[in-house]
Amino acid sequence: MEHTVISADHVHTAETAQQRQRTFVPPSESYLPGVQEPAGDALLDQLFYATVDECPDPTCRPLLLDRVAASVGATRKLVDWACWITSEVYGGLPEELVDEVASAGTIFRPSTTFRRHAAEYHNQGPPFGVMYDACSAAQRREAADNAVVLVDGLQVWWTDFLYQ
């Protein structure tokens, strides 16, 4: 597996991540129907493991998020991965992930961009991508951050994550 160094002193992989509950495979190991293009899987995995690890380096996650947001394909794969996992956990995407009013009552409040992508995923399923092309890097960054936080929350709290 390729390793992308994000800073001078550390890299996040399955081997370096804390060994707490591991329910989901990282983006590099998941099969997402309709996603064929390479998406910087090592970078996506590092972002996932840095989130799971709650990396104490204050520059780590922001740097990884910036690098993911620079790529439409990487952001799309990450959000599709989170939507697929969430659909598997709940038997479909909960309204709280696609509707602003419904999400207001949850502990996890996804960004407008994430909700739009999740709604597109919910309504059409993969593949889709036109919406990602229209997003700014800041919007893709928000969506990528929401995706990894959602999967990490589901890993820790399972279905209770949205409803605490």
Side-chain angles (χ1 to χ4, degrees):
M1 177 194 298
E2 64 182 284
H3 294 285
T4 305
V5 176
I6 58 156
S7 69
D9 62 351
H10 73 283
V11 75
H12 294 277
T13 65
E15 294 79 29
T16 63
Q18 296 173 15
Q19 293 303 310
R20 66 178 177 144
Q21 180 181 358
R22 293 270 189 256
T23 305
F24 306 114
V25 298
S28 67
E29 296 177 26
S30 63
Y31 168 73
L32 299 170
V35 178
Q36 280 87 22
E37 72 270 359
D41 285 346
L43 179 64
L44 299 180
D45 288 359
Q46 282 190 61
L47 178 57
F48 174 60
Y49 289 126
T51 303
V52 167
D53 252 359
E54 299 174 358
C55 182
D57 182 341
T59 62
C60 182
R61 282 193 77 244
L63 179 59
L64 286 167
L65 284 166
D66 288 344
R67 292 185 65 193
V68 168
S71 167
V72 171
T75 306
R76 177 181 171 205
K77 182 168 184 177
L78 200 58
V79 173
D80 283 358
W81 169 74
C83 287
W84 179 79
I85 287 171
T86 305
S87 293
E88 292 293 308
V89 168
Y90 291 104
L93 284 180
E95 186 177 2
E96 290 79 4
L97 295 181
V98 297
D99 180 76
E100 182 175 10
V101 174
S103 70
T106 66
I107 192 168
F108 176 71
R109 293 193 177 100
S111 68
T112 300
T113 303
F114 184 87
R115 285 193 314 272
R116 286 180 186 149
H117 293 317
E120 184 78 9
Y121 183 95
H122 177 70
N123 294 331
Q124 297 182 11
F128 61 91
V130 176
M131 289 179 66
Y132 289 93
D133 294 330
C135 289
S136 68
Q139 291 170 316
R140 289 192 303 270
R141 189 180 194 281
E142 279 180 339
D145 187 34
N146 287 165
V148 294
V149 168
L150 175 60
V151 173
D152 185 43
L154 291 172
Q155 221 170 216
V156 173
W157 299 100
W158 199 242
T159 57
D160 289 342
F161 178 60
L162 293 179
Y163 307 106
Q164 292 189 36

